[in-house]
Amino acid sequence: MALTVNDVERFEASRPRLEAIAYRLLGSASEAEDAVQETFLRWQAADLDHIEVPEAWLAKVLTNLCLNQLTSARARRETYVGQWLPEPLLAGDPMLGPADTAEQRESVSYAVLTLLERLSPTERAVYVLREAFAYPHREIAEILDLTEAASQQIFHRAKKHVADGRSRTEIDEAAARRIVEEFLAAATSGRTEPLVRLLTQDAVSIGDGGGKVPARAKAFEGALAVAKFMRGLFKPSRAKRVLAGGSPEVYATTANGDPAVVAVVEGRVVGVICLEVTAGGIAAFRNQVNPDKLERATRRWASADHGDPLLHAF
């Protein structure tokens, strides 16, 4: 069935919300875009005269496509090389979605997206729709073919799972930059002690290279081990320059609302380090270096002015 201009405009008005939902559900911007495009194809093929609430219909179709994707993604991740981390979104990316409340901002943080991997697909969908987009449980139940009571129970269970692993401190962009600057100063000092002082005792560092860029399969655990790794990471060497394709320019920004270090070589983002900050210090570094998961970050980087780099690494 051919769509009218009004039909296309109605879908496009919903696209930003659909992409934000899909990204939170899948942890991948590229997969979120694919899911939204498939939703459009379903919209194009539907009998629109019989769709009473288009926004609800679109949310239902998209969410169920994502649930199917999550089920297959779990199987793929069993054979994924090394640690799996979400695809980072840099400051200002529209796919980050609503950020009016603390709950909305937290729901897209790198730490929470990682924690959502612990949930079942249905738990994740209920949590995202309720926490990030304030869907009533009645609508969530209709989207997922549940009872309203079941939706409420699943949400409380999912929220507890996420809260048990979360201790993030919300900070503004100016504070995020100061934290990154302090971290980089310590990491490039050549000494371990300044780094240790910035970390919590149980700090961890996790890297995702996707088998394409070297990244340790097991996380570094404990302040001393993490500090030694970070000190070594920023120690110059020819091998690192060859691997990166040059000497990276290093910037401070935010990714998924958290302080982040971005390494750029000739306009290409080659690494994003997301810092999880708590009241006790930096609790985690999540390092994304898989080039497949940095393509959107590179496009986003090219569309904005970032000023001068803080340093040149390696």
Side-chain angles (χ1 to χ4, degrees):
M1 181 180 295
L3 296 181
T4 66
V5 172
N6 185 57
D7 294 334
V8 174
E9 289 179 345
R10 181 175 291 180
F11 181 88
E12 290 303 323
S14 295
R15 184 183 290 274
R17 177 176 56 87
L18 296 175
E19 287 189 343
I21 292 173
Y23 172 70
R24 284 167 167 82
L25 288 176
L26 300 172
S28 166
S30 59
E31 291 180 3
E33 289 174 335
D34 290 344
V36 172
Q37 184 59 27
E38 180 60 29
T39 302
F40 175 74
L41 295 177
R42 303 284 180 95
W43 173 255
Q44 188 176 36
D47 184 352
L48 302 186
D49 291 337
H50 289 83
I51 297 176
E52 295 182 3
V53 185
E55 291 75 15
W57 187 93
L58 291 169
K60 183 179 179 70
V61 170
L62 175 80
T63 300
N64 283 282
L65 285 170
C66 289
L67 288 178
N68 292 336
Q69 182 78 1
L70 279 172
T71 301
S72 62
R74 289 197 166 200
R76 292 199 308 273
R77 286 170 196 170
E78 290 179 1
T79 59
Y80 192 83
V81 179
Q83 300 278 344
W84 184 94
L85 290 173
E87 183 176 344
L89 297 182
L90 300 183
D93 192 311
M95 198 176 280
L96 289 168
D100 298 326
T101 67
E103 290 79 11
Q104 289 173 335
R105 292 188 292 273
E106 279 204 345
S107 72
V108 79
S109 73
Y110 219 51
V112 168
L113 285 178
T114 304
L115 289 170
L116 290 181
E117 290 295 308
R118 300 178 181 180
L119 305 181
S120 72
T122 299
E123 287 174 333
R124 186 165 183 163
V126 171
Y127 179 87
V128 166
L129 292 172
R130 179 64 179 168
E131 189 79 346
F133 296 91
Y135 275 79
H137 282 291
R138 174 182 54 79
E139 292 186 24
I140 296 173
E142 292 174 357
I143 289 171
L144 297 173
D145 294 323
L146 303 168
T147 66
E148 189 170 344
S151 177
Q152 292 171 339
Q153 291 172 355
I154 291 170
F155 174 70
H156 290 306
R157 184 168 66 242
K159 191 168 184 177
K160 183 179 186 303
H161 286 323
V162 173
D164 285 346
R166 185 182 67 204
S167 55
R168 176 177 177 263
T169 298
E170 192 170 6
I171 55 179
D172 60 26
E173 287 192 21
R177 182 179 178 85
R178 289 195 298 271
I179 289 168
V180 171
E181 290 175 344
E182 189 175 5
F183 160 67
L184 289 175
T188 56
S189 69
R191 297 182 294 123
T192 304
E193 294 78 10
L195 272 168
V196 171
R197 288 196 292 270
L198 296 179
L199 310 178
T200 61
Q201 286 302 304
D202 59 351
V204 298
S205 177
I206 304 168
D208 179 350
K212 299 187 176 184
V213 174
R216 193 169 187 257
K218 185 179 179 181
F220 290 93
E221 299 180 352
L224 184 58
V226 171
K228 287 181 177 179
F229 167 68
M230 285 296 170
R231 184 190 66 185
L233 181 64
F234 285 91
K235 186 176 181 179
S237 76
R238 183 177 180 279
K240 291 176 186 174
R241 288 192 294 274
V242 170
L243 182 64
S247 179
E249 297 176 332
V250 179
Y251 296 82
T253 185
T254 60
N256 295 73
D258 291 321
V261 178
V262 177
V264 182
V265 175
E266 297 180 353
R268 176 173 55 92
V269 175
V270 297
V272 177
I273 303 176
C274 295
L275 283 61
E276 181 181 348
V277 180
T278 69
I282 301 172
F285 296 93
R286 295 182 175 88
N287 317 313
Q288 185 56 261
V289 291
N290 182 345
D292 293 342
K293 297 183 181 181
L294 295 173
E295 292 178 358
R296 185 180 179 93
T298 294
R299 295 196 301 271
R300 180 71 195 171
W301 193 260
S303 67
D305 178 26
H306 305 281
D308 296 327
L310 294 178
L311 60 92
H312 286 78
F314 314 156

